[in-house]
Amino acid sequence: MTDLTINTDLARTILTGFIRTEITRAGFKRAVLGLSGGIDSTLSCFLTAEALGAENVLVVRMPYRSSSPDSLSDAQMVIDRLGVQALTIPITDMVDPLLAQIPAENQVRRGNVMARMRMIILYDQSEAFKGLVVGTGNKTEILLGYTTLYGDAACALNPLGDLYKTQVRQLARAMGVPESIINKPPSADLWAGQTDEGELGFTYAEVDRLLYLLVDQRYSPDDCIQAGFEPRFVQEAVRRIRKYHYKRLMPPIAKLSNRTIGYDFLYLRDWGT
Amino acid sequence: MNKLTLALAQINTHLGDVQSNLEKHLQLAQEAHASGADLLVFPELSLTGYVLQDLASTVSNRPTADNPVFKPLLDASRQLDLVVGFVDEDSRSRFYIASAYLSGGEVLHVHHKVYLPTYGLFDEGRFFAWGDSIQAFDTRFGRLGILICEDFWHASPPYLLWLDGADLMLFASASPGRGLNQAPELESARWVEHINKAYASLFTVYVAHANRVGYEDGLNFWGGSTVYDPNGELLAKGPYHMETLTLCEIDLQQIHRTRTRLPLLRDERTALVMRELQRILSDGRSTQKGIR
């Protein structure tokens, strides 16, 4: 019941087709990605390079001074493997003067500033390279709200958003992502020693099984407890899903007229293409 | 005519761009004709794209000889019969998801989708009117029937077509792919293949299914168009997720052979069905049974 195994050939076909189609019908043929050297951005990069051709992909490494050196070298391994175009733009000289003007001891604030600085760079490169920004967020982090709004969450399209972290690992392995990248502890790398699982308080393997039941299989929280999950763990996941829903939606517009964007002005983005 | 070459146009479409979709229809009609096809079936909403939302009222057409979209299609139908998917606006401005059967320059039949999925990722009932009729119709190949996607997720429409004389059922879909697991095909694909095979077997008819491909925003359409024979055997299948014209010669004499062996149609007790349906529907507890 909680087997999250996917057919990776089929996932690869659908996701590369999605990237190619949605970028070309928007009038582009190129893509820009932030490459941290972690598994999500690496898999997104592999899929995008396969979809568009490596020459049409620009990856940007954006280290902060406290970023792990492994992140840079892992990203280099991906760049060398795929032959994508690459830039390195350190964010330290952008972030530190800003942080100096605000008393931001709070790590979340500091982390958000870094994530949003990277967004600014990616969207600037999007214009310069004439490519759309391809996102790297997976279903687990989107559901848990473990993402910075208008930061790492910002993108033109997201190929990984319906894959749990466990499935990201499976697809990454099938596509030949280096084992060292697959096996290292997932981290936003916003400060030294930060890991996703340390910060969230549970492992992806555990929470993915729970989210799969809650979301995909429509289990109630009680059904999940019946299925053997700790009540506090279930409550925490449910709380996060609800609390961070705002990060998954466009901002609501206050309705006044008879036709309001988002409510009764309804078109797909692919309208006319 | 005992042999008939079917062609299934497993195409991608431009969302809301009827003119470019029309051009693709005309090209494929030529190509299918050149390949020897007698009947070319396009998927659901093949002239408009699928997730139309507020575009529905702006892409509608009437299937008449003076309609600028239907005129060239009717001309093409002098070479081979066509089933095309479109938005039909009736004289009182109700919009239907529709498929038209065109042959010899005439519109022989228009089917309005009778089941509009309005759940999960679907929102058809919000934008379209519900069709109110399920009828087989006569063609130069015999009596056929057309259903559109959700129509054949319910068992009754194929059953009614069967009783109304359809020996070849033409199903048109724009089926969004969903349900990725370990299997080499999506759950939605597996489900549709199961029921198509089941209808062919249960009703001893040919069942041809044309499904589209491509993407609309994050939705993928999986293709995999199929033809099953009256024994429930798969005769042809298009690939998943790729534009293809699938050709399949079918032998209508197979219906005779299968029904000689397996006289399910002969033995179908329609009067019994009618009596029991009347009893079930007139029973005071019908609401409790969830019947409407």
Side-chain angles (χ1 to χ4, degrees), chain A residues 151-166:
Chain A
D152 57 302
C155 61
L157 66 157
N158 182 353
L160 303 187
D162 205 16
L163 290 174
Y164 289 110
K165 188 79 170 187
T166 308

mmCIF file of all heavy atoms in Angstrom, chain A residues 151-166:
data_model
loop_
_atom_site.group_PDB
_atom_site.id
_atom_site.type_symbol
_atom_site.label_atom_id
_atom_site.label_comp_id
_atom_site.label_asym_id
_atom_site.label_seq_id
_atom_site.Cartn_x
_atom_site.Cartn_y
_atom_site.Cartn_z
ATOM 1 N N GLY A 151 11.729 32.397 -3.466
ATOM 2 C CA GLY A 151 13.153 32.074 -3.402
ATOM 3 C C GLY A 151 13.380 30.836 -4.243
ATOM 4 O O GLY A 151 13.186 30.858 -5.465
ATOM 5 N N ASP A 152 13.720 29.721 -3.587
ATOM 6 C CA ASP A 152 13.931 28.482 -4.347
ATOM 7 C C ASP A 152 12.634 27.982 -4.967
ATOM 8 O O ASP A 152 12.650 27.185 -5.895
ATOM 9 C CB ASP A 152 14.546 27.405 -3.453
ATOM 10 C CG ASP A 152 13.695 27.124 -2.230
ATOM 11 O OD1 ASP A 152 13.443 28.068 -1.460
ATOM 12 O OD2 ASP A 152 13.270 25.976 -2.046
ATOM 13 N N ALA A 153 11.481 28.456 -4.451
ATOM 14 C CA ALA A 153 10.199 28.015 -5.022
ATOM 15 C C ALA A 153 9.902 28.699 -6.350
ATOM 16 O O ALA A 153 9.034 28.253 -7.092
ATOM 17 C CB ALA A 153 9.069 28.293 -4.035
ATOM 18 N N ALA A 154 10.615 29.774 -6.670
ATOM 19 C CA ALA A 154 10.293 30.538 -7.877
ATOM 20 C C ALA A 154 10.820 29.835 -9.126
ATOM 21 O O ALA A 154 11.993 29.479 -9.207
ATOM 22 C CB ALA A 154 10.917 31.934 -7.778
ATOM 23 N N CYS A 155 9.964 29.623 -10.084
ATOM 24 C CA CYS A 155 10.386 29.000 -11.342
ATOM 25 C C CYS A 155 9.284 29.178 -12.375
ATOM 26 O O CYS A 155 8.161 29.560 -12.046
ATOM 27 C CB CYS A 155 10.680 27.517 -11.145
ATOM 28 S SG CYS A 155 9.273 26.549 -10.582
ATOM 29 N N ALA A 156 9.623 28.887 -13.635
ATOM 30 C CA ALA A 156 8.635 28.981 -14.711
ATOM 31 C C ALA A 156 7.877 27.666 -14.860
ATOM 32 O O ALA A 156 6.729 27.651 -15.285
ATOM 33 C CB ALA A 156 9.321 29.336 -16.028
ATOM 34 N N LEU A 157 8.529 26.572 -14.565
ATOM 35 C CA LEU A 157 7.878 25.265 -14.610
ATOM 36 C C LEU A 157 8.641 24.321 -13.698
ATOM 37 O O LEU A 157 9.828 24.504 -13.467
ATOM 38 C CB LEU A 157 7.810 24.693 -16.035
ATOM 39 C CG LEU A 157 9.100 24.321 -16.731
ATOM 40 C CD1 LEU A 157 8.810 23.297 -17.813
ATOM 41 C CD2 LEU A 157 9.744 25.539 -17.371
ATOM 42 N N ASN A 158 7.913 23.326 -13.202
ATOM 43 C CA ASN A 158 8.532 22.434 -12.231
ATOM 44 C C ASN A 158 8.318 20.971 -12.591
ATOM 45 O O ASN A 158 7.224 20.447 -12.440
ATOM 46 C CB ASN A 158 7.966 22.720 -10.838
ATOM 47 C CG ASN A 158 8.627 21.848 -9.779
ATOM 48 O OD1 ASN A 158 9.403 20.953 -10.109
ATOM 49 N ND2 ASN A 158 8.324 22.096 -8.539
ATOM 50 N N PRO A 159 9.353 20.302 -13.049
ATOM 51 C CA PRO A 159 9.189 18.898 -13.444
ATOM 52 C C PRO A 159 9.148 17.916 -12.265
ATOM 53 O O PRO A 159 8.662 16.797 -12.434
ATOM 54 C CB PRO A 159 10.427 18.624 -14.311
ATOM 55 C CG PRO A 159 11.443 19.614 -13.859
ATOM 56 C CD PRO A 159 10.686 20.834 -13.394
ATOM 57 N N LEU A 160 9.627 18.317 -11.085
ATOM 58 C CA LEU A 160 9.759 17.353 -9.982
ATOM 59 C C LEU A 160 8.653 17.453 -8.941
ATOM 60 O O LEU A 160 8.623 16.663 -7.995
ATOM 61 C CB LEU A 160 11.103 17.559 -9.253
ATOM 62 C CG LEU A 160 12.372 17.476 -10.083
ATOM 63 C CD1 LEU A 160 13.596 17.530 -9.168
ATOM 64 C CD2 LEU A 160 12.399 16.222 -10.931
ATOM 65 N N GLY A 161 7.746 18.415 -9.112
ATOM 66 C CA GLY A 161 6.801 18.729 -8.053
ATOM 67 C C GLY A 161 5.773 17.654 -7.738
ATOM 68 O O GLY A 161 5.066 17.770 -6.749
ATOM 69 N N ASP A 162 5.681 16.609 -8.548
ATOM 70 C CA ASP A 162 4.760 15.514 -8.224
ATOM 71 C C ASP A 162 5.524 14.233 -7.874
ATOM 72 O O ASP A 162 4.954 13.144 -7.917
ATOM 73 C CB ASP A 162 3.779 15.276 -9.378
ATOM 74 C CG ASP A 162 2.463 14.639 -8.913
ATOM 75 O OD1 ASP A 162 2.183 14.663 -7.697
ATOM 76 O OD2 ASP A 162 1.721 14.120 -9.767
ATOM 77 N N LEU A 163 6.796 14.382 -7.543
ATOM 78 C CA LEU A 163 7.608 13.230 -7.116
ATOM 79 C C LEU A 163 8.046 13.439 -5.674
ATOM 80 O O LEU A 163 8.629 14.488 -5.349
ATOM 81 C CB LEU A 163 8.873 13.096 -7.981
ATOM 82 C CG LEU A 163 8.707 12.669 -9.437
ATOM 83 C CD1 LEU A 163 10.047 12.753 -10.151
ATOM 84 C CD2 LEU A 163 8.127 11.266 -9.537
ATOM 85 N N TYR A 164 7.780 12.457 -4.834
ATOM 86 C CA TYR A 164 8.294 12.523 -3.460
ATOM 87 C C TYR A 164 9.815 12.356 -3.494
ATOM 88 O O TYR A 164 10.388 11.818 -4.444
ATOM 89 C CB TYR A 164 7.653 11.429 -2.601
ATOM 90 C CG TYR A 164 6.200 11.701 -2.308
ATOM 91 C CD1 TYR A 164 5.195 10.928 -2.880
ATOM 92 C CD2 TYR A 164 5.836 12.752 -1.468
ATOM 93 C CE1 TYR A 164 3.851 11.192 -2.620
ATOM 94 C CE2 TYR A 164 4.500 13.025 -1.207
ATOM 95 C CZ TYR A 164 3.511 12.249 -1.783
ATOM 96 O OH TYR A 164 2.188 12.525 -1.529
ATOM 97 N N LYS A 165 10.453 12.813 -2.410
ATOM 98 C CA LYS A 165 11.919 12.723 -2.336
ATOM 99 C C LYS A 165 12.403 11.301 -2.598
ATOM 100 O O LYS A 165 13.382 11.084 -3.305
ATOM 101 C CB LYS A 165 12.379 13.182 -0.942
ATOM 102 C CG LYS A 165 13.881 13.323 -0.798
ATOM 103 C CD LYS A 165 14.353 14.609 -1.418
ATOM 104 C CE LYS A 165 15.815 14.903 -1.088
ATOM 105 N NZ LYS A 165 16.189 16.249 -1.577
ATOM 106 N N THR A 166 11.695 10.325 -2.035
ATOM 107 C CA THR A 166 12.052 8.917 -2.251
ATOM 108 C C THR A 166 12.048 8.584 -3.747
ATOM 109 O O THR A 166 12.904 7.843 -4.237
ATOM 110 C CB THR A 166 11.017 8.017 -1.536
ATOM 111 O OG1 THR A 166 10.900 8.446 -0.179
ATOM 112 C CG2 THR A 166 11.415 6.568 -1.587
#
